[in-house]
Amino acid sequence: MDYIQALLRKYPNRIKYGLIALDIIAMIVAIKTYVNYISIETAIEDATLEQQTKTDELYFTQNFLVNYEKSEYAKYFLEHENNMLLDNEYIIKFEEMYQKQQSNTWNITTPFVDYTDKNVNSPQESWKKFILDKIK
């Protein structure tokens, strides 16, 4: 014990800096350990979630999809999912109607009123002139 006290009295600064260095190293090791622990925990959670989704997908396939594909309406539904038409179905195109509406919109003309006046010098005067024309 006397030997340790002698070292502490002889080299106090070196021992303080050494302990600080050891604390920093211990802190780095603790942080690495904690980060490793958290990454392991998230990997376990992700694996269980993926396992649950795979089992749900398997249960869906076994309990619903197989029965759906074996049913008599399967061909009807699959054809509609793949955009295939049945015998009594047709595609209706609205191109002509759209072209007529578009051509009619160009024929509409609106009267254009020119409110620019050479005698007006400021925006306030032009605004007053516009209001007076609307009142008349």
Side-chain angles (χ1 to χ4, degrees):
M1 188 69 167
D2 292 333
Y3 177 71
I4 294 174
Q5 287 178 354
L7 282 176
L8 284 173
R9 287 187 188 127
K10 191 173 186 181
Y11 306 111
N13 288 337
R14 287 184 185 175
I15 292 174
K16 279 195 264 183
Y17 292 137
L19 288 175
I20 289 174
L22 285 175
D23 284 344
I24 291 173
I25 291 171
M27 213 178 342
I28 291 171
V29 169
I31 291 171
K32 279 186 171 183
T33 305
Y34 180 72
V35 168
N36 191 20
Y37 171 75
I38 294 296
S39 66
I40 289 171
E41 287 290 321
T42 55
I44 290 171
E45 288 176 7
D46 291 344
T48 55
L49 217 110
E50 185 177 345
Q51 179 187 7
Q52 183 65 35
T53 56
K54 290 294 181 182
T55 55
D56 288 346
E57 185 178 330
L58 181 66
Y59 290 151
F60 172 76
T61 303
Q62 289 174 348
N63 296 329
F64 178 72
L65 196 60
V66 173
N67 296 332
Y68 168 74
E69 289 178 352
K70 288 181 182 177
S71 72
E72 60 188 43
Y73 294 108
K75 183 181 179 203
Y76 173 75
F77 290 129
L78 287 175
E79 284 179 349
H80 277 89
E81 285 178 5
N82 294 327
N83 295 327
M84 296 171 62
L85 296 176
L86 296 177
D87 295 332
N88 58 353
E89 293 179 339
Y90 302 100
I91 296 175
I92 300 173
K93 294 183 180 181
F94 294 103
E95 291 176 359
E96 288 294 323
M97 199 170 171
Y98 175 72
Q99 289 174 354
K100 287 180 183 176
Q101 287 177 352
Q102 188 179 17
S103 66
N104 287 341
T105 58
W106 290 106
N107 293 336
I108 298 172
T109 58
T110 57
F112 176 72
V113 180
D114 187 16
Y115 288 106
T116 59
D117 191 5
K118 305 300 182 209
N119 298 331
V120 178
N121 294 328
S122 69
Q124 290 85 7
E125 290 177 9
S126 65
W127 181 248
K128 287 177 186 176
K129 183 176 181 339
F130 172 76
I131 297 293
L132 291 174
D133 287 343
K134 286 295 179 183
I135 292 173
K136 289 180 184 177

